[in-house]
Amino acid sequence: MSILDSFRLDQRTAVVTGGNRGIGKGIATALADAGADLVVANRDRDSGVAAAEEIAAETGAETLAVQMDVTNEDDVATAVEAIIDEYNSIDVLVNNAGITENVPAERMDPEDWQRVVDVNLTGVFLCSKHVGRRMIDGDGGSIVNVSSISAFIANHPQPQVAYNASKAGLEGLKTQLASEWARYDIRVNNINPGYIRTNMVEDVLKNDPEMAEEWKREMLLDEMARPESIGALAVYLASEASWYMTGESISIDGGYTVR
Ligand code: NAD
């Protein structure tokens, strides 16, 4: 197999949570472009269907949209069942869905804290549990969690204690799952993006240029990356090209964390 062929995902089924926009859509498009049958698993059905159609038109891949709130175990189980009915197996799971609450810790309601932890940490557990079972029954697979450099560093000037705690939790989840599931040929790795130009970041660039400048000062590279750049790393981690890598955490942040 040539080196570029080892990145191909033909005859694989890949599921991306929150694949309708932002980093999730960038990853979903990259996986489809690499040959995967692509499933957008989205809380809001209509935008999931629209994204799946767009990705199919752009890449020529087979795509499907399923409705799934990652915090609701019944939703997750039903969606996984529907994907298996359609494709027989799930080979790649990208746990991308995530939210933040920029509230100072001393004023944060427990409900706000819980909402972030439910999506960013419990949601990853629930999706991994239900897809992992199918991978265990099948030929294994690759699980890729979209974590953040916030798992390791403090962000400033904005407050986001629940976000950083939930992403730090993904470090432990990934390490333990990689250990427990290696025997089933399931690899588990985390991607830790820095600031990426999605809707949220574009809003800050427009409305709070001072904050954006502060972020940029911390980067070695001048540019903020777009979601496609995260897609390239996801293809690597999803494919045979990374067969010897599991339990790892890779930052892709324009040098933010080494500055
Ligand atoms: P985004 O808000 O554009 O996308 C988030 C996605 O998650 C949306 O599709 C949304 O529908 C989905 N989602 C939220 N709650 C959900 C739920 N309960 N069930 C199912 N789906 C749900 O944000 P983004 O910037 O593209 O972020 C994607 C991931 O990347 C997140 O995990 C985020 O923490 C991470 N990340 C983003 C950046 C950045 O700079 N944008 C940096 C580091 C990490």
Side-chain angles (χ1 to χ4, degrees):
M1 191 191 292
S2 79
I3 189 67
L4 284 180
D5 283 346
S6 72
F7 286 77
R8 296 283 320 168
L9 293 169
D10 306 291
Q11 276 99 51
R12 312 272 172 80
T13 303
V15 179
V16 182
T17 67
N20 67 314
R21 68 179 199 200
I23 291 176
K25 191 170 178 205
I27 290 175
T29 306
L31 297 174
D33 206 17
D37 295 336
L38 196 281
V39 183
V40 175
N42 211 49
R43 195 175 35 178
D44 164 51
R45 198 177 150 68
D46 289 349
S47 64
V49 169
E53 284 173 359
E54 257 180 66
I55 293 168
E58 192 179 327
T59 63
E62 168 102 10
T63 66
L64 176 74
V66 293
Q67 195 279 329
M68 177 204 277
D69 179 336
V70 297
T71 66
N72 179 324
E73 185 161 18
D74 288 342
D75 255 25
V76 173
T78 305
V80 168
E81 191 76 48
I83 298 165
I84 294 289
D85 281 352
E86 185 72 24
Y87 294 114
N88 293 318
S89 70
I90 298 175
D91 308 290
V92 176
L93 167 66
V94 179
N95 286 307
N96 163 79
I99 59 170
T100 188
E101 288 282 349
N102 297 119
V103 182
E106 67 277 17
R107 283 196 265 117
M108 186 171 229
D109 294 330
E111 295 76 25
D112 291 339
W113 165 275
Q114 196 59 51
R115 194 166 40 251
V116 174
V117 172
D118 281 351
V119 176
N120 295 6
L121 188 54
T122 310
V124 173
F125 160 67
L126 290 175
C127 293
S128 300
K129 172 185 165 183
H130 284 273
V131 172
R133 282 178 176 178
R134 305 305 181 129
M135 288 177 169
I136 288 169
D137 291 344
D139 296 329
S142 172
I143 296 177
V144 180
N145 303 315
V146 181
S147 182
S148 171
I149 55 170
S150 306
F152 308 102
I153 57 141
N155 292 83
H156 55 93
Q158 74 279 21
Q160 47 181 61
V161 69
Y163 183 85
N164 291 38
S166 67
K167 294 297 188 181
L170 283 183
E171 268 302 298
L173 183 149
K174 167 268 297 171
T175 304
Q176 187 62 24
L177 274 191
S179 166
E180 292 184 19
W181 289 353
R183 78 195 69 161
Y184 305 118
D185 283 331
I186 300 172
R187 298 183 296 109
V188 188
N189 293 288
N190 284 8
I191 294 177
N192 308 315
Y195 290 103
I196 308 300
R197 291 187 82 134
T198 60
N199 290 357
M200 183 204 85
V201 169
E202 293 288 358
D203 284 350
V204 175
L205 291 177
K206 227 181 293 152
N207 304 325
D208 196 342
E210 260 179 48
M211 192 188 303
E213 270 316 304
E214 186 154 352
W215 293 347
K216 277 192 186 161
R217 265 199 299 278
E218 299 292 330
M219 293 171 196
L220 292 181
L221 305 182
D222 270 351
E223 286 262 345
M224 280 190 194
R226 294 181 189 278
E228 306 82 79
S229 310
I230 310 300
L233 179 54
V235 169
Y236 169 67
L237 290 175
S239 68
E240 279 303 302
S242 64
W243 73 272
Y244 201 48
M245 183 176 284
T246 194
E248 274 303 328
S249 206
I250 305 177
S251 292
I252 174 163
D253 64 358
Y256 190 103
T257 43
V258 297
R259 184 157 189 126

